[in-house]
Amino acid sequence: MSLIVSELTKKYGEKTVLDRLSFSMEEPGVYALLGTNGAGKTTAIRMILGMLSSDGGKVTWNGGKLDSTTCNVGYLAEERGLYPKYTLMDQLLYFTSLRGVERSVAKKRIDYWAKRLEVTEYLYPPVLPNGRKTKAKTADQLSKGNQQKIQFMISLLSDPELIILDEPLSGLDPVNTDLFKSVIREQIDMGKYLIMSSHQMATVEEFCTDITILDRSKTVLQGNLNEIKKSYGRVNLRLKTEGDARAHIKKAGIILLSDVENDYALKVTGEAQANALLSSLVKDGIPVISFDLREPSLHEIFVEKVGTDHETLEN
């Protein structure tokens, strides 16, 4: 199976909001779409799903057009999409019926995911000691995090081949963040194809093998994340010493990013400059507690590529 996005373009009048986006997934895994506010990331997701028409380009799945007849797709939108006044169970059964899931199968899957995502109490009203049933919960009675769990469940109930997650961890507490992550790992292990967007760069690094960064509708960086990081080299140095090392850092011509009680964040030109600093410290008898030379983080790469004039990433 393969997903190929080719030259995908969207315009509103004279304004281009997505400019010839291309990428492909030739095997299961997680692909990240990242971008600044208004970069075109959410527009791209909606076009891939067929929710928006395109002004150029195409999306294919296994060589044919991607649509509901050729690919079983699950979608978790960033915006809440539940009907506020309808019971959760009715909504889950309704959405599964739209995906062609038989009612008996849907109920079994709902029961499984209710337990897995820890929302059983909201779907199955408990019986009171007097034998009376409590009222079934509606969506507007749930917290934002629990609504997100229900929407995550909806995206998984059809057992999709392709799963698109737009800010899946937004607004979750640490416990539920770990719960969502464990489910995502399970889907990866099952050989699913996932497209993810997230403001949390550490999460992207944890799950995604390949990325595209968009800025003002255009692709500014694309490729395998590990290869991209390797291309920068090991230029970030975290140094901690028992004595003041600032004079040695200055003499070596190294950029000092921060200094908190002899714990230094440094930017070096490469391993040679870093090792020269280490030799200088050792020669002068300054004890080195830690010396960690690493590649730049995705956050640092992102900021470099899109500039510092953007205060936030795209919603």
Side-chain angles (χ1 to χ4, degrees):
M1 291 187 288
S2 65
L3 171 71
I4 299 176
V5 176
S6 179
E7 299 285 311
L8 208 56
T9 300
K10 183 66 178 176
K11 297 180 180 180
Y12 291 109
E14 297 298 317
K15 182 177 177 59
T16 299
V17 295
L18 189 66
D19 190 1
R20 295 170 294 172
L21 171 66
S22 296
F23 69 89
S24 64
M25 295 183 69
E26 303 294 339
E27 57 185 29
V30 186
Y31 198 103
L33 283 178
L34 309 173
T36 54
N37 284 325
K41 175 211 38 149
T42 299
T43 297
I45 288 174
R46 290 173 178 168
M47 291 172 71
I48 291 169
L49 289 166
M51 298 168 64
L52 282 177
S53 61
S54 69
D55 294 305
K58 61 181 180 179
V59 181
T60 61
W61 176 258
N62 291 336
K65 181 180 179 182
L66 173 64
D67 59 32
S68 59
T69 66
T70 61
C71 182
N72 185 353
V73 183
Y75 175 43
L76 174 62
E78 182 180 11
E79 303 86 2
R80 301 295 164 262
L82 300 174
Y83 298 105
K85 298 299 182 181
Y86 287 84
T87 66
L88 299 170
M89 182 61 76
D90 284 347
Q91 294 193 60
L92 290 169
L93 290 171
Y94 170 68
F95 284 120
T96 52
S97 70
L98 293 179
R99 304 305 304 276
V101 181
E102 292 184 7
R103 191 177 180 88
S104 60
V105 175
K107 286 186 175 181
K108 290 179 181 178
R109 291 180 181 176
I110 289 169
D111 183 60
Y112 169 80
W113 283 113
K115 293 174 182 176
R116 184 71 180 83
L117 293 172
E118 302 175 0
V119 291
T120 302
E121 63 181 294
Y122 306 118
L123 297 181
Y124 302 99
V127 178
L128 298 175
N130 60 10
R132 294 180 61 185
K133 284 186 177 182
T134 56
K135 288 186 177 181
K137 293 287 186 181
T138 56
D140 62 353
Q141 293 176 302
L142 299 189
S143 66
K144 179 180 177 182
N146 282 323
Q147 286 188 46
Q148 191 152 332
K149 286 183 179 182
I150 298 299
Q151 289 195 217
F152 194 23
M153 184 188 300
I154 291 170
S155 73
L156 298 170
L157 283 173
S158 67
D159 192 20
E161 303 164 276
L162 173 64
I163 304 170
I164 300 179
L165 305 175
D166 195 354
E167 297 298 337
L169 307 181
S170 175
L172 296 178
D173 60 52
V175 172
N176 284 318
T177 294
D178 286 345
L179 177 60
F180 269 47
K181 285 183 176 181
S182 68
V183 173
I184 292 171
R185 289 190 191 97
E186 288 173 1
Q187 297 300 306
I188 296 170
D189 291 341
M190 292 169 63
K192 303 298 182 70
Y193 290 71
L194 290 91
I195 297 176
M196 179 189 294
S197 72
S198 177
H199 290 174
Q200 301 175 26
M201 293 293 121
T203 298
V204 174
E205 290 192 83
E206 185 176 347
F207 288 110
C208 300
T209 52
D210 297 276
I211 66 169
T212 289
I213 296 179
L214 297 168
D215 185 31
R216 298 180 178 90
S217 82
K218 298 181 181 296
T219 298
V220 294
L221 184 66
Q222 185 175 81
N224 179 272
L225 181 54
N226 285 334
E227 293 301 320
I228 289 171
K229 293 175 72 173
K230 285 180 181 178
S231 71
Y232 279 80
R234 300 169 68 196
V235 294
N236 288 356
L237 176 60
R238 187 66 178 266
L239 172 69
K240 188 171 183 179
T241 62
E242 286 189 0
D244 189 344
R246 285 174 295 180
H248 292 75
I249 293 168
K250 183 177 181 180
K251 183 178 180 181
I254 294 174
I255 298 173
L256 175 63
L257 301 177
S258 68
D259 171 13
V260 181
E261 296 181 351
N262 298 331
D263 191 347
Y264 307 96
L266 308 170
K267 181 71 72 174
V268 299
T269 57
E271 292 187 31
Q273 190 180 41
N275 290 333
L277 172 62
L278 179 60
S279 297
S280 175
L281 293 170
V282 172
K283 182 179 179 181
D284 285 0
I286 297 178
V288 175
I289 300 173
S290 63
F291 184 88
D292 181 22
L293 185 62
R294 61 173 178 82
E295 299 160 348
S297 67
L298 179 57
H299 175 89
E300 292 164 325
I301 293 171
F302 183 94
V303 171
E304 177 193 304
K305 287 297 178 182
V306 306
T308 57
D309 56 329
H310 297 287
E311 293 183 358
T312 59
L313 306 184
E314 181 186 0
N315 293 318

